[in-house]
Amino acid sequence: MSTVHTQIQALKTRASVCTACDLAETRTNVVFGSGDATAKLVLVAEGPSAADNHTTLPFSGPTGNLLDEVLTINDLTRTDIWLTNIIKCRAAGLKGGVLKNRPPKVSEIKACSKWLDGELTLVQPSVILCMGAPAAKALIHRSFRITEERGIWFTDTQYAPFVMATFNPAYILRQEGEDFTAMRQILVNDIADAVRKLQETPETPRLTLF
């Protein structure tokens, strides 16, 4: 096992018992990133779903099926990338006695940022694709607007030379008819764009701390 994979595993173990915010009280599992920790392409979304909360893997269930489809069209699988979320526990609140997904609070994102920072610092991606506005607000700039800035490459961010945002598969699944078809195609195209950017980017030597 490579040093990076060992370090990622150690980080995952520490994250699995995190109690830095109140989400620790309602989660079933911490959902850490998965895939290839030496990958140069990283996909970052908002947070775990109800399905992820049980499987411990990001993008489980129908959302994951859609992601797998668009990756396959681009000759990729999950094992070729690193896939993670800005928060590692499902953000949910009780409504009528049932836990319903809700947007994460600023305090929750802040409490969880050390895990995302640790992951991205270890993985050292060349290209990051933010899936949805919340991830883009965390990694590109705080006032990011997905309708206006999707598909634009940003080169002055903290964790990778090139960062872009696209639609989250969970959002695409809520669309119907032509809207669904069009947005799904945008996601396919944006992943293709990320792959192209990766191929254009010279391999940088991996920084080591030892």
Side-chain angles (χ1 to χ4, degrees):
M1 191 180 275
S2 74
T3 307
V4 179
H5 286 106
T6 306
Q7 290 170 321
I8 280 279
Q9 196 57 47
L11 191 69
K12 180 179 180 178
T13 302
R14 296 208 327 265
S16 71
V17 292
C18 178
T19 55
C21 79
D22 290 345
L23 294 181
E25 294 168 19
T26 54
R27 73 177 181 229
T28 304
N29 289 294
V30 170
V31 181
F32 200 73
S34 71
D36 180 3
T38 60
K40 289 295 164 190
L41 174 59
V42 170
L43 272 55
V44 183
E46 179 180 44
S49 67
D52 303 348
N53 190 30
H54 290 286
T55 64
T56 75
L57 293 170
F59 283 90
S60 306
T63 312
N65 294 340
L66 177 57
L67 178 66
D68 289 337
E69 281 174 27
V70 295
L71 286 174
T72 301
I73 292 167
N74 282 291
D75 294 323
L76 290 172
T77 69
R78 292 174 185 239
T79 56
D80 300 316
I81 61 172
W82 186 254
L83 185 61
T84 193
N85 289 298
I86 55 173
I87 63 165
K88 311 302 183 203
C89 297
R90 180 191 178 198
L94 278 173
K95 276 190 183 174
V98 181
L99 277 177
K100 296 278 189 184
N101 289 347
R102 60 162 174 78
K105 298 171 187 170
V106 173
S107 59
E108 291 162 353
I109 294 171
K110 193 173 178 182
C112 214
S113 63
K114 63 183 176 186
W115 305 121
L116 183 64
D117 175 77
E119 276 178 291
L120 296 180
T121 302
L122 286 171
V123 175
Q124 293 178 26
S126 299
V127 176
I128 294 176
L129 194 57
C130 298
M131 307 189 84
K137 286 175 194 267
L139 294 176
I140 299 175
H141 65 81
R142 264 186 268 181
S143 55
F144 190 92
R145 295 174 72 97
I146 195 102
T147 48
E148 294 165 17
E149 297 176 285
R150 182 210 59 78
I152 297 170
W153 285 108
F154 290 82
T155 55
D156 56 350
T157 64
Q158 185 177 352
Y159 295 108
F162 300 99
V163 184
M164 185 175 88
T166 188
F167 296 118
N168 189 313
Y171 175 70
I172 296 172
L173 280 179
R174 293 197 292 271
Q175 313 306 310
E176 295 178 353
E178 290 180 5
D179 288 342
F180 171 81
T181 307
M183 282 195 179
R184 181 182 179 278
Q185 190 57 49
I186 287 170
L187 180 57
V188 169
N189 296 347
D190 285 346
I191 291 174
D193 197 10
V195 171
R196 268 194 305 276
K197 184 61 75 176
L198 199 61
Q199 290 162 348
E200 293 165 9
T201 308
E203 185 79 29
T204 48
R206 178 165 285 279
L207 298 171
T208 56
L209 304 174
F210 307 101

